[in-house]
Amino acid sequence: MLELQQQDIPKLKSERTVSNNSVPEDGGNNGNSYDLVFPALPDSKTLGPKSIGINGQCGTVSAPPKTWSKVRTLTVNQVFTISVQDRKSDNSEKFGEGESKRICSQITRETGAEIEISTSKNMNLTFLVRGKELDVIEAKRRIIASFQTQATSAVPVPKEHHCQVMGKQGARRKEIEQRTGARIQMPSIQDTSDIINVTGTRDAVEKAVQEIRMISDELSKKAFEKIEIPKIFHPFITGGHNEKLNNLMKETGVKIHVPPPSVNRDEITIAGDKEGVQMAIEKIKNIYAIMEKESATVFVEIPKQKHKYLMAQKGSGIQDILLETNVSVEMPQQDSDKETVTLRGLYKDLGTGLTKLYEKANSMTAETIECPGWMHRFLIGKNGSNLRELIEDNEKVHVEFSDDNKIIVEGPTNMISKVIESLKKAIECYVSTELVVDPKFFKHIIGKNGSNINRVKNDNGVIINISESDNNSNIIRIEGRKDGVELAKSELEEMIYKLENEVEKEISIDQRHHRAIIGVKGEKVRELQETFNVQITFPSSGY
């Protein structure tokens, strides 16, 4: 603690006066100047409301600066679409939107983000996610993992390049993952493998692989070149299903990376021996020069619902057209209402390409059948067993049960009619009927632990709905095959007739004797009920 003698105070005061007018030097005080030891008190005009200190002294409570901003919880909204081609499908076990809503509800509970889901006419899923930014990011990641097919790509990268892909403390890898949405798994240092695994949606994997290869190629000791070729001409360099690109790499012995369709970039990279790189560049530029000079563009209107037939699985439909005709097909954005499809190619090839385009568009058909919603479960069967029998060998036909009492059948034109006929015959086999019953008989019809109603349901293969919770409802509904419904209806009517003709009588017996009448574990009262074919009930012990 710094101690000061009384005689030193005037001197320090004078030093303070000087310090207000000039910059003091530390001298020999080791930086402990008067201003540091005894800081100046604030001006009285700036003092805030007074408060009483521990020893009864007055203190001040400073008001917060006017520049302080209020802390607010920001809510963000994010909308994204998962196309029908990229949707996960498990038609043997899950149908309709019930499972989708259940998954979204679970994600909402776990992340706190609100999720709204809708299905468009072309069966694309659109999600609206609302909440805190971090919650929305996590919810989106879980939605994509649950609803969108996941792809995996094993990328061979020289082991000495792995550290550059990782970056300092993994920063570069994290940046790539955040930009692309893919997950990158690097082999450990002890692992001699040079494979980097990339997992995520198809587009995300393509983007991440592109960035990893770019890093590796730039680090390669061999020649590395970049050339700018307009994106619209990339299909003529790669060819359908990358056939031309693979042949070119095999011929020149170099690696050529063309950005995938989902990456809007003109840059093409070539890495390898200098001679091979130059040869590849010349061939690519030659293709570009010919197509730029001699190609033409045609715009065709194709109904939006047929676009998915052109795309097929992962865009294989337009790749087939490119492979067979050397004509590229450009589709409008999936979330767009535009129906215009763009064809580009040489004049001599456009006619053939247009023919193939119409063949693909008309190769599939979709039809709608009217069917009550309650009947859907019977047509589907347990784990989809009934539906598989109805479809038989027509595996390419897709059947979807919607919530608006409709069944949508989609598939090859030559197969769909047979499936529709089978579905219509099956629909005719099922009926429903209703019985008007006094609600007081419900508990007797249901029986203990549902024993009576379950027996009727299992014996006749029907579904029986009784709304006990709704006091205003006096309806019992029976659903199933015609013969089973008739038998179940007859059994219930007989049971109801007996209940309606039964007599109920109350007997007043002192509660002290109830236990003796009931017997051990209800043995005596059960004997009375079986002997006289009656039902005996006792008031609860609280009466």
Side-chain angles (χ1 to χ4, degrees):
M1 180 176 178
L2 183 63
E3 295 183 358
L4 297 176
Q5 300 297 327
Q6 183 67 29
Q7 60 270 21
D8 293 334
I9 293 177
K11 181 181 177 181
L12 289 172
K13 288 182 178 180
S14 64
E15 287 178 356
R16 178 182 174 184
T17 305
V18 173
S19 68
N20 289 334
N21 299 315
S22 63
V23 179
E25 297 180 356
D26 288 342
N29 295 328
N30 296 325
N32 293 326
S33 66
Y34 185 91
D35 286 332
L36 292 176
V37 179
F38 297 100
L41 293 174
D43 187 71
S44 61
K45 295 180 180 179
T46 63
L47 293 177
K50 294 184 178 180
S51 62
I52 304 301
I54 297 175
N55 298 321
Q57 299 175 350
C58 290
T60 59
V61 179
S62 300
K66 294 182 179 180
T67 56
W68 287 6
S69 60
K70 294 182 178 179
V71 177
R72 293 181 298 175
T73 302
L74 297 179
T75 299
V76 296
N77 297 300
Q78 189 165 1
V79 179
F80 60 96
T81 300
I82 296 178
S83 67
V84 64
Q85 291 84 11
D86 293 334
R87 284 178 59 179
K88 283 185 180 179
S89 59
D90 186 2
N91 294 334
S92 64
E93 296 184 3
K94 300 173 184 176
F95 296 88
E97 296 183 355
E99 182 66 10
S100 301
K101 292 178 180 177
R102 187 192 67 78
I103 294 172
C104 288
S105 297
Q106 182 178 352
I107 295 173
T108 295
R109 288 194 301 270
E110 294 174 354
T111 64
E114 297 178 13
I115 303 171
E116 295 182 18
I117 179 174
S118 64
T119 307
S120 62
K121 291 182 180 178
N122 55 9
M123 303 312 298
N124 293 339
L125 286 179
T126 300
F127 295 88
L128 168 61
V129 187
R130 182 187 301 108
K132 296 180 182 179
E133 185 175 1
L134 294 178
D135 294 343
V136 169
I137 292 173
E138 177 62 14
K140 180 179 179 181
R141 185 188 70 78
R142 296 190 183 203
I143 290 170
I144 290 175
S146 300
F147 290 89
Q148 192 163 351
T149 54
Q150 301 290 295
T152 301
S153 179
V155 188
V157 175
K159 191 71 176 179
E160 59 270 20
H161 296 172
H162 286 200
C163 60
Q164 295 296 327
V165 176
M166 280 289 292
K168 188 176 181 180
Q169 297 181 345
R172 196 175 213 177
R173 182 184 70 174
K174 290 178 182 177
E175 288 176 4
I176 297 173
E177 288 179 339
Q178 289 175 354
R179 279 198 301 269
T180 63
R183 184 166 176 263
I184 301 172
Q185 292 179 313
M186 310 283 294
S188 63
I189 298 175
Q190 294 80 12
D191 193 344
T192 57
S193 173
D194 63 351
I195 298 298
I196 297 177
N197 292 308
V198 184
T199 307
T201 63
R202 180 165 50 88
D203 290 348
V205 168
E206 288 178 349
K207 293 176 183 178
V209 169
Q210 175 76 6
E211 293 203 25
I212 292 171
R213 285 176 172 167
M214 290 276 290
I215 295 171
S216 179
D217 290 342
E218 288 178 353
L219 296 169
S220 177
K221 295 178 181 179
K222 298 179 180 180
F224 178 80
E225 297 289 342
K226 301 176 183 179
I227 56 174
E228 296 284 336
I229 302 292
K231 183 76 175 178
I232 59 174
F233 296 110
H234 286 190
F236 306 106
I237 296 169
T238 61
H241 299 289
N242 287 328
E243 185 181 68
K244 286 186 177 181
L245 183 64
N246 292 333
N247 291 337
L248 182 57
M249 289 193 292
K250 186 177 181 181
E251 181 184 351
T252 58
V254 299
K255 292 183 179 180
I256 305 172
H257 298 307
V258 179
S262 58
V263 178
N264 189 21
R265 186 183 298 170
D266 295 336
E267 186 180 80
I268 296 176
T269 60
I270 305 106
D273 294 331
K274 291 184 179 179
E275 185 178 345
V277 169
Q278 291 303 317
M279 185 187 302
I281 290 175
E282 289 178 8
K283 289 183 176 292
I284 290 172
K285 287 184 175 179
N286 186 45
I287 294 172
Y288 168 51
I290 293 173
M291 297 307 300
E292 185 183 33
K293 182 179 179 180
E294 301 180 14
S295 66
T297 304
V298 174
F299 301 98
V300 183
E301 296 296 320
I302 301 291
K304 190 71 177 180
Q305 63 269 23
K306 291 184 177 291
H307 286 195
K308 56 186 174 183
Y309 306 144
L310 297 176
M311 292 293 294
Q313 185 71 19
K314 297 182 179 179
S316 61
I318 59 179
Q319 288 295 320
D320 291 341
I321 296 174
L322 179 60
L323 179 64
E324 296 173 16
T325 66
N326 199 35
V327 172
S328 72
V329 179
E330 297 175 13
M331 307 294 295
Q333 293 293 328
Q334 294 172 350
D335 54 355
S336 169
D337 294 331
K338 294 181 180 179
E339 298 185 339
T340 304
V341 177
T342 305
L343 277 73
R344 186 176 289 104
L346 299 175
Y347 288 99
K348 64 183 182 66
D349 297 328
L350 282 173
T352 308
L354 189 60
T355 302
K356 288 289 183 182
L357 182 76
Y358 281 121
E359 286 180 2
K360 291 279 185 185
N362 296 319
S363 63
M364 304 283 280
T365 307
E367 290 192 27
T368 301
I369 305 174
E370 297 291 334
C371 176
W374 63 265
M375 201 180 290
H376 292 179
R377 69 179 79 179
F378 294 103
L379 297 176
I380 294 169
K382 187 177 181 180
N383 296 328
S385 57
N386 293 348
L387 184 60
R388 282 196 293 271
E389 291 181 6
L390 293 171
I391 294 177
E392 294 181 352
D393 298 329
N394 304 299
E395 296 179 354
K396 294 183 179 179
V397 176
H398 173 70
V399 180
E400 180 171 351
F401 297 83
S402 64
D403 292 336
D404 54 353
N405 297 327
K406 292 180 180 179
I407 301 176
I408 301 171
V409 186
E410 186 178 43
T413 307
N414 58 342
M415 296 182 182
I416 196 172
S417 58
K418 184 178 180 181
V419 175
I420 290 175
E421 184 180 354
S422 299
L423 283 169
K424 287 182 176 178
K425 287 182 179 179
I427 290 171
E428 293 175 356
C429 295
Y430 295 96
V431 296
S432 67
T433 187
E434 294 181 347
L435 298 176
V436 179
V437 183
D438 192 327
K440 69 180 181 181
F441 297 137
F442 283 175
K443 61 181 179 181
H444 305 294
I445 295 172
I446 295 172
K448 187 177 181 180
N449 297 325
S451 58
N452 293 341
I453 202 69
N454 288 334
R455 177 184 55 77
V456 177
K457 287 162 63 176
N458 296 332
D459 290 350
N460 300 290
V462 298
I463 292 176
I464 301 174
N465 295 317
I466 301 176
S467 301
E468 279 191 292
S469 58
D470 190 352
N471 296 328
N472 296 324
S473 175
N474 60 348
I475 301 296
I476 295 179
R477 182 178 174 84
I478 311 171
E479 301 168 352
R481 289 186 173 274
K482 289 181 179 179
D483 51 352
V485 169
E486 290 299 324
L487 290 172
K489 180 182 178 182
S490 177
E491 286 190 45
L492 289 178
E493 286 178 338
E494 183 179 350
M495 193 182 302
I496 294 166
Y497 176 78
K498 290 181 179 180
L499 290 170
E500 289 177 340
N501 288 278
E502 284 182 351
V503 178
E504 184 178 294
K505 187 173 182 180
E506 293 185 359
I507 304 174
S508 179
I509 300 176
D510 194 321
Q511 193 172 357
R512 293 176 300 172
H513 305 303
H514 288 188
R515 182 177 298 180
I517 298 172
I518 295 172
V520 179
K521 296 182 179 180
E523 181 179 350
K524 290 185 177 180
V525 74
R526 199 161 43 246
E527 182 181 349
L528 289 172
Q529 290 180 144
E530 292 174 357
T531 303
F532 298 101
N533 192 24
V534 296
Q535 184 172 2
I536 304 172
T537 58
F538 291 82
S540 63
S541 58
Y543 288 175

